[in-house]
Amino acid sequence: MQKRLSKIDPSLVTNCPLFADMDKQAIADILNKGVAKHFKKGDRFFDQMDEATHFFLMLDGYLEVSKTTEEGAQVIMRHFGVGEIFGVAPAIAQKNYPATARALVDCVVVLWENKYWDHFLVEHPQFIKNAYKSVGERLAQSQERIVEMSTEQVERRVAHAVMRLTHQCGVKTEKGILIDFPVSRQDIAEMTGTTLHTVSRLFSAWSSKGLMQVGRQKIEVLEAHKLALLAQGQ
Amino acid sequence: MQKRLSKIDPSLVTNCPLFADMDKQAIADILNKGVAKHFKKGDRFFDQMDEATHFFLMLDGYLEVSKTTEEGAQVIMRHFGVGEIFGVAPAIAQKNYPATARALVDCVVVLWENKYWDHFLVEHPQFIKNAYKSVGERLAQSQERIVEMSTEQVERRVAHAVMRLTHQCGVKTEKGILIDFPVSRQDIAEMTGTTLHTVSRLFSAWSSKGLMQVGRQKIEVLEAHKLALLAQGQ
DNA sequence: CCGTTTCTTTGATCTAGAGCAAATAATCAG
DNA sequence: CTGATTATTTGCTCTAGATCAAAGAAACGG
């Protein structure tokens, strides 16, 4: 399931915004308090409603965070990539994780016991500030998404979702930008509040316009600019 | 427009969660750093995109926070009542307010210059912790709303919105629970991503079932339990 | 009190997109 | 290699709810 690593190399994280404006000594101290682990594709970091015991930093890989309703519908809240913290329940005084976090590819993360949050608050306030900055960005993004859901129709929302994926998790290829992990039509539907059928139809239309190239769980954006126009409503 | 008050009585805020687990001395010190002001119904506390200069605590009254899209559509993000902090841009390292805050009735607020955030972080960390707890609750509520928008149809969403209003801003009457400020059908539409027409139709149906009593910009819920059932989808 | 403005209601269309169904097409397990 | 499983596409139908239209009802300004 998951393997403990003996040691974390600080050079992996020096460019990460989470450690901005911090000296090497402080970074090393924080990393020493954490534990690095491998998670395989499909593994869960935590489940919705689990008691929150740790917070995490992604060193390598991608994950998705999703919520499931009582009726069983799944909504994908967000994706996280390298250098991002997640599962920060202690930061916002939540006793349980509000969602499920799942590895989309094989991952390496650092995880800390919750108690270190308060510890770092005193010892390394800059770290906490950096972490809250990213919490703030997520709050802002959530609210953007509410506006989107309230005012835009499906085509624009799907265009936005694909753009977000390319920005957060895209890798350049000869032809365009490829999403770096498997994404199904169903996944896109769960990110935008629509159905896989509608997503499939949109992708077919966009592909035939040369805007993107799609395959089974594969999305490659060829003309990002045109996609951006669609996201803005022409 | 707004009038400065000379002094703030600490007894106004001792029951407020923002000052939980704090001694009177600390509370008084924090209040002394702030300025109390009146805002009249309709006044703005700040506008979307304004440079963030202050953060606020509502002492008396209600406000709504809304975002406006490039196309001019308005989305009501949230309401705030007595004892809640708002406009906490410094908390999440945002330079500008992401939305507009408008007084729904005559209000009294305390406002602090942004620099005091960092000051309190050192001097009164418990205050900051309490504030972050409410930021966390807002993040959680935003995500709930995304799930709602993604999976529920209009009737349930409107039922949810009315329930939230009764919880946050309701006052008990002989017959039921009255929303304590004017709310139009258009307002409810902007909280739920629908149109005033659909809201009007729903309200008509619910009124004739005896579930609520409505008037011009007035909502009084008579049978909260039935409304809750509607919100859960029967 | 009266005209104006701002809300609300209700009816009559119209349509984006859900839901259903069934046929491909990839991938996987053995 | 082969059948089973999981994704995807595409056509057809149907409906929730938007949009359009127009008529009441409150509140407001002078």
Side-chain angles (χ1 to χ4, degrees):
Chain A
M1 192 77 167
Q2 49 202 238
K3 190 173 93 185
R4 185 170 295 202
L5 294 183
S6 50
K7 219 173 173 183
I8 308 153
D9 183 349
S11 73
L12 284 171
V13 297
T14 41
N15 293 324
C16 160
L18 189 61
F19 295 101
D21 303 318
M22 296 184 64
D23 59 50
K24 281 175 185 167
Q25 186 54 50
I27 296 174
D29 182 48
I30 289 172
L31 289 177
N32 282 334
K33 300 282 198 302
V35 176
K37 275 189 182 165
H38 280 294
F39 284 75
K40 289 211 181 128
K41 178 176 172 175
D43 286 351
R44 314 262 180 85
F45 300 99
F46 49 80
D47 269 300
Q48 193 168 347
M49 297 302 286
D50 277 359
E51 193 194 344
T53 56
H54 295 83
F55 58 97
F56 301 77
L57 167 65
M58 176 61 74
L59 287 185
D60 186 51
Y62 294 102
L63 77 137
E64 75 177 20
V65 173
S66 64
K67 285 174 85 90
T68 303
T69 67
E70 289 169 21
E71 291 85 30
Q74 210 184 49
V75 179
I76 297 177
M77 301 311 297
R78 240 200 97 91
H79 295 265
F80 289 100
V82 174
E84 295 189 281
I85 47 164
F86 61 99
V88 288
I92 50 181
Q94 311 263 306
K95 291 211 146 186
N96 300 82
Y97 296 113
T100 298
R102 193 179 281 105
L104 293 172
V105 297
D106 292 351
C107 292
V108 183
V109 303
V110 190
L111 48 91
W112 290 269
E113 288 177 54
N114 268 359
K115 66 177 180 188
Y116 288 114
W117 187 270
D118 284 346
H119 179 81
F120 294 159
L121 185 63
V122 176
E123 300 292 319
H124 303 296
Q126 186 61 46
F127 175 80
I128 299 297
K129 269 190 155 180
N130 292 339
Y132 274 122
K133 181 167 183 181
S134 77
V135 171
E137 283 160 8
R138 283 167 214 178
L139 181 56
Q141 284 165 12
S142 294
Q143 297 191 334
E144 285 299 327
R145 191 160 158 200
I146 290 171
V147 171
E148 214 177 285
M149 296 285 304
S150 299
T151 62
E152 297 176 6
Q153 9 200 85
V154 170
E155 183 170 43
R156 285 181 69 177
R157 300 206 308 267
V158 172
H160 265 129
V162 173
M163 276 182 57
R164 249 179 247 129
L165 283 178
T166 60
H167 291 143
Q168 290 170 10
C169 323
V171 292
K172 285 219 175 72
T173 63
E174 315 92 64
K175 294 177 250 166
I177 304 166
L178 178 74
I179 310 299
D180 204 17
F181 51 79
V183 198
S184 69
R185 309 293 180 267
Q186 176 69 32
D187 292 331
I188 300 286
E190 287 173 2
M191 296 167 62
T192 52
T194 182
T195 61
L196 75 162
H197 308 277
T198 298
V199 175
S200 175
R201 278 180 244 268
L202 286 170
F203 278 15
S204 295
W206 294 347
S207 290
S208 66
K209 282 183 199 159
L211 215 146
M212 64 189 336
Q213 205 172 33
V214 294
R216 189 187 170 96
Q217 305 200 96
K218 197 204 80 174
I219 300 174
E220 186 167 10
V221 175
L222 305 180
E223 308 199 55
H225 183 64
K226 286 191 185 169
L227 190 63
L229 289 178
L230 275 177
Q232 285 163 32
Q234 316 296 316
Chain B
M1 193 75 165
Q2 49 201 237
K3 190 174 93 187
R4 185 170 295 203
L5 295 182
S6 49
K7 219 173 172 185
I8 308 154
D9 183 349
S11 73
L12 285 171
V13 297
T14 42
N15 293 323
C16 161
L18 189 60
F19 295 101
D21 304 319
M22 296 184 64
D23 60 50
K24 283 176 183 164
Q25 187 53 51
I27 296 174
D29 182 48
I30 289 172
L31 289 177
N32 281 334
K33 299 282 198 303
V35 176
K37 275 188 182 167
H38 281 292
F39 284 75
K40 288 211 181 131
K41 178 176 170 172
D43 286 351
R44 313 263 180 84
F45 299 99
F46 49 81
D47 270 297
Q48 192 169 348
M49 297 302 287
D50 277 0
E51 193 194 345
T53 57
H54 295 83
F55 57 98
F56 301 78
L57 167 65
M58 176 62 74
L59 288 184
D60 186 50
Y62 294 101
L63 78 136
E64 75 177 21
V65 172
S66 64
K67 285 175 84 90
T68 303
T69 66
E70 287 169 23
E71 291 84 32
Q74 212 185 46
V75 178
I76 297 178
M77 301 310 296
R78 240 201 97 92
H79 294 265
F80 289 101
V82 174
E84 294 188 282
I85 47 165
F86 61 98
V88 288
I92 49 180
Q94 309 265 305
K95 292 209 147 186
N96 299 82
Y97 296 113
T100 298
R102 193 180 280 105
L104 294 172
V105 296
D106 291 353
C107 292
V108 184
V109 303
V110 189
L111 47 92
W112 289 270
E113 288 177 52
N114 268 359
K115 65 177 179 188
Y116 288 114
W117 187 271
D118 283 346
H119 180 80
F120 295 158
L121 184 63
V122 176
E123 299 292 318
H124 303 295
Q126 186 61 46
F127 176 81
I128 298 297
K129 269 190 155 182
N130 292 339
Y132 274 124
K133 181 168 182 182
S134 77
V135 171
E137 284 159 7
R138 283 167 215 179
L139 181 56
Q141 284 165 12
S142 294
Q143 297 190 334
E144 284 299 327
R145 191 161 158 199
I146 290 170
V147 171
E148 213 177 286
M149 296 286 304
S150 299
T151 62
E152 297 178 6
Q153 12 198 82
V154 170
E155 183 170 42
R156 285 181 70 176
R157 301 207 306 267
V158 172
H160 265 130
V162 174
M163 275 180 57
R164 249 179 247 130
L165 282 178
T166 61
H167 291 142
Q168 290 171 10
C169 322
V171 292
K172 284 220 175 72
T173 64
E174 315 92 63
K175 292 178 252 164
I177 304 166
L178 178 73
I179 310 298
D180 205 17
F181 51 79
V183 199
S184 69
R185 308 293 180 268
Q186 176 70 32
D187 291 331
I188 300 286
E190 287 173 1
M191 295 166 65
T192 53
T194 180
T195 62
L196 74 161
H197 308 275
T198 297
V199 174
S200 176
R201 278 179 243 270
L202 287 170
F203 278 16
S204 295
W206 294 348
S207 291
S208 65
K209 282 184 200 159
L211 216 148
M212 64 187 339
Q213 205 172 32
V214 294
R216 190 189 170 93
Q217 304 199 99
K218 197 205 81 174
I219 301 174
E220 187 168 8
V221 175
L222 305 180
E223 308 199 53
H225 183 63
K226 286 192 186 167
L227 190 63
L229 289 177
L230 275 177
Q232 287 163 32
Q234 314 296 314

